Amino acid sequence: SERSLSPQKLLSKGRYQDLFLEVAVVCSVVIACRVSPLQKSEMVTLVRKGISPSPVTLAIGDGANDVPMLQEAQVGVGISGREGRQAVNSADFAISQFRYLARLMLVHGRWNYRRACKFVIYSFWKNAVLVLLMFYYTFVSGYAGQSLFEDMVRASYNFVLAAPIITTGVFDQDVTEEQAMADPRLYVSGREGSDLNATKLIEMLLSAAVHSCVIGFV
C-alpha cells in the first residue's frame, strides 16, 4: 500500500518524490531507518535536484556505508572512529568527533568562505583594471597596437598585487571565533551565497571601470 512504501520505492517513483520533499522541507529533522548506502546517496541527490534554489548539501558519516552519500554531497565530512577510515578517505574534511562539526562549519567554514570570496573578487578586479586601461589606450593611440605598459610592468603586476590578497586570504577574520559560535545567524551569508554572486560581480566590474578611468584619464 502507499502507506507502507519502502525508502527504495519512495525514491524510485517520481510521483512520490515531490510529496516526500514537500513534507521533508517543513520538518526540522527527517530520520530514515535501515537505509542502504545507495539510498543514502539517492536521498542527497533528491534534495540537490528537487529543491529550488539549489541548496548546498553536507553529508557526515563514519563508516564505509556512508561513502556514496559523502561523495554525492557537495561537502563531505568523515569521522574517524571504530568503523575504519573509509569515510575519512572519501570525505572533503575529517574530524575525530561529531562535536567538532559545529566549529568546522560556523567558524572555519564561514571564515574560509568569506576569504575565498574576497580573493576571487579582488583577482577579477585587479585584472579588469589592467585590461580596461589597455582597452582605453587602444583608442588614444589610434589603434596603433602600441603597448601601454613595459613588459616588466605587465609581468610583475599580478605578482606585486597578489601580496595583499594573500594576506587577507590567510588572516582575515571579520568576527572572532567566540562570536561566530555564539551567533549561528552569521553562517547564513555562506548558505545564501551573499558574498559571491552576480550582484557582487557587477559591483566589482563597475568599481574596476571607475578606477581604470581615474587612473587613465585623471
Side-chain angles (χ1 to χ4, degrees), residues 37-172:
L38 179 59
Q39 291 168 354
K40 292 181 181 181
S41 174
E42 290 177 340
M43 194 75 70
V44 176
T45 303
L46 182 63
V47 173
R48 290 184 58 178
K49 296 182 178 180
I51 297 179
S52 181
S54 181
V56 177
T57 56
L58 182 146
I60 181 169
D62 61 352
N65 58 338
D66 297 317
V67 170
M69 175 182 64
L70 294 172
Q71 293 177 337
E72 180 63 26
Q74 283 104 324
V75 181
V77 179
I79 302 177
S80 57
R82 297 179 180 179
E83 297 191 31
R85 297 185 57 85
Q86 292 91 336
V88 171
N89 294 335
S90 302
D92 302 299
F93 303 96
I95 54 179
S96 59
Q97 298 181 30
F98 187 83
R99 63 189 179 94
Y100 296 143
L101 179 63
R103 188 168 184 268
L104 175 66
M105 295 176 58
L106 301 181
V107 179
H108 297 289
R110 184 178 179 280
W111 279 350
N112 284 284
Y113 166 74
R114 290 181 59 85
R115 292 168 182 171
C117 292
K118 291 180 180 180
F119 184 88
V120 170
I121 291 176
Y122 176 84
S123 298
F124 277 106
W125 174 83
K126 64 183 178 62
N127 286 287
V129 171
L130 181 67
V131 171
L132 287 173
L133 284 172
M134 292 188 292
F135 175 74
Y136 301 151
Y137 189 71
T138 301
F139 301 98
V140 175
S141 64
Y143 305 94
Q146 183 178 357
S147 177
L148 174 61
F149 303 105
E150 295 288 341
D151 292 338
M152 181 61 68
V153 174
R154 287 186 297 172
S156 60
Y157 179 80
N158 283 309
F159 177 78
V160 173
L161 294 184
I165 197 58
I166 290 177
T167 304
T168 300
V170 174
F171 299 106
D172 180 61

